[in-house]
Amino acid sequence: MLAPSYPITTPRLTLRAFTEDDLDDLYAFHSLPEVARYLYWEARTREETEAALEEKIGRAEIRRDGDVLSVAVELRETGRVIGDLTLFWRSEENRQGEIGFVFNPACHGRGLATEAARELLRLGFDGLGLHRLYGRCDARNIPSYRLMERLGMRREAHLVENEFFEGEWSDELVYAILAREWRARA
């Protein structure tokens, strides 16, 4: 079980559970076509963002295999939510998890996603006791796979034309890191 002790602070960020007050900030980037380009949803309307936010509010802890944790990333200097982190508990038996992240492009290039995602890995390894965490992205999503590389994750697979995505075949990259590798870097 993982019920994070919020808030989690880093030098520039506060990680916390989502609240209804996050709608405007979440909509500011979930509504952008360039943000949704490589995700499994289209740019969201305000109503779609509100529905997604309600799901995120209900994902404040992980209790069992298959659960999902949603974490809001707030920029401390502004108090605005700039990111959306996800931790999936994929297998209790094999102690496997998956990470996901979506950030407001207005905040790209400052290392904020790396700062936040490191905490997500820490939650998975130290909080949930996972053995292995992985992340997946479209091979054309260069910022996403570079973030995983900065986190110390290694590319384990390049799946060629494995998904028919938005009307075309696309490649998928899989990155992963083991708990012992994570601890050696820390």
Side-chain angles (χ1 to χ4, degrees):
M1 183 175 141
L2 173 63
S5 180
Y6 292 124
I8 298 167
T9 58
T10 69
R12 300 176 290 171
L13 305 169
T14 299
L15 280 62
R16 58 171 177 75
F18 278 96
T19 71
E20 291 179 0
D21 294 335
D22 297 327
L23 179 59
D24 290 337
D25 293 343
L26 200 61
Y27 177 65
F29 60 98
H30 276 219
S31 63
L32 300 174
E34 65 267 27
V35 168
R37 170 66 180 101
Y38 299 113
L39 300 173
Y40 292 105
W41 39 267
E42 300 290 325
R44 291 181 167 147
T45 65
R46 187 169 181 80
E47 293 75 24
E48 291 167 335
T49 305
E50 187 172 19
L53 178 59
E54 287 304 314
E55 284 186 25
K56 291 175 184 309
I57 290 170
R59 296 175 172 169
E61 61 185 25
I62 292 179
R63 293 184 174 274
R64 66 187 70 73
D65 191 334
D67 280 355
V68 179
L69 178 72
S70 293
V71 180
V73 179
E74 183 180 294
L75 184 61
R76 289 195 358 222
E77 72 184 38
T78 65
R80 307 290 304 257
V81 171
I82 61 159
D84 174 359
L85 300 174
T86 309
L87 176 62
F88 303 87
W89 192 4
R90 294 295 190 199
S91 172
E92 180 177 9
E93 179 182 359
N94 297 306
R95 295 176 35 217
Q96 305 276 321
E98 180 179 357
I99 63 168
F101 39 82
V102 180
F103 278 82
N104 189 325
C107 297
H108 287 181
R110 297 169 47 193
L112 297 167
T114 304
E115 190 172 318
R118 277 192 188 112
E119 289 301 309
L120 191 63
L121 291 177
R122 186 186 60 74
L123 285 172
F125 290 129
D126 296 341
L128 199 53
L130 296 177
H131 169 70
R132 178 177 177 270
L133 276 164
Y134 66 91
R136 302 174 297 138
C137 70
D138 188 296
R140 298 167 294 183
N141 190 346
I142 296 167
S144 185
Y145 75 71
R146 286 196 175 148
L147 170 57
M148 289 187 277
E149 289 170 350
R150 283 192 303 276
L151 293 170
M153 300 173 83
R154 82 183 144 285
R155 185 180 296 184
E156 291 190 335
H158 182 147
L159 307 173
V160 178
E161 294 185 8
N162 71 311
E163 289 190 337
F164 195 70
F165 185 71
E166 295 188 6
E168 61 185 330
W169 288 105
S170 65
D171 293 6
E172 182 178 44
L173 302 177
V174 179
Y175 280 79
I177 188 169
L178 301 175
R180 64 179 159 78
E181 295 168 326
W182 166 254
R183 288 188 178 90
R185 292 178 59 89

